[in-house]
Amino acid sequence: MTVAPESVQQSTPVCWCCAREFDDRDLVRLGAHPEVGVCLGCARFLQRRAEEREDQLRPSRGTRLRGMVRSAREWVVGHRWHELPVIGGLLRRIDRHLP
């Protein structure tokens, strides 16, 4: 009895966070687990979550200020202002420079 060789299917890499397809060059790979790829948008989101967790562990004036920025961001996203034609682009540009 012979076994047919497995056919290797090349699939488009997928972000492990949002499950969208990306080119391999647009994914960040984890060092110990190169099979895990995260898109740049999700990597930024994870960075912000890590900073938020660090702030919770070490409260200070700076962490309270960053908490207010996070609350304002959540409010804007909750009201979908970041999707508005004119002001949305400005809000997204500002957001790139905030913690």
Side-chain angles (χ1 to χ4, degrees):
M1 173 182 249
T2 61
V3 177
E6 290 185 29
S7 61
V8 178
Q9 295 179 350
Q10 295 292 334
S11 63
T12 305
V14 176
C15 174
W16 279 45
C17 184
C18 66
R20 291 187 294 171
E21 293 182 352
F22 290 91
D23 287 336
D24 195 46
R25 68 174 189 256
D26 295 329
L27 294 176
V28 177
R29 298 289 180 178
L30 299 183
H33 296 279
E35 70 276 8
V36 176
V38 180
C39 72
L40 300 178
C42 290
R44 178 71 176 139
F45 170 77
L46 292 170
Q47 172 66 29
R48 285 184 173 166
R49 294 295 300 263
E51 290 170 351
E52 181 180 359
R53 185 66 183 126
E54 286 178 343
D55 286 349
Q56 290 172 351
L57 297 173
R58 291 181 215 79
S60 69
R61 279 189 225 159
T63 61
R64 283 192 292 274
L65 180 61
R66 285 189 295 273
M68 291 186 332
V69 169
R70 281 195 271 299
S71 295
R73 180 183 294 117
E74 289 173 11
W75 187 86
V76 166
V77 171
H79 287 82
R80 302 178 73 126
W81 281 17
H82 65 294
E83 296 175 358
L84 295 175
V86 177
I87 196 170
L90 177 64
L91 290 172
R92 287 189 302 274
R93 185 173 297 162
I94 290 170
D95 185 54
R96 287 186 213 132
H97 303 287
L98 293 175

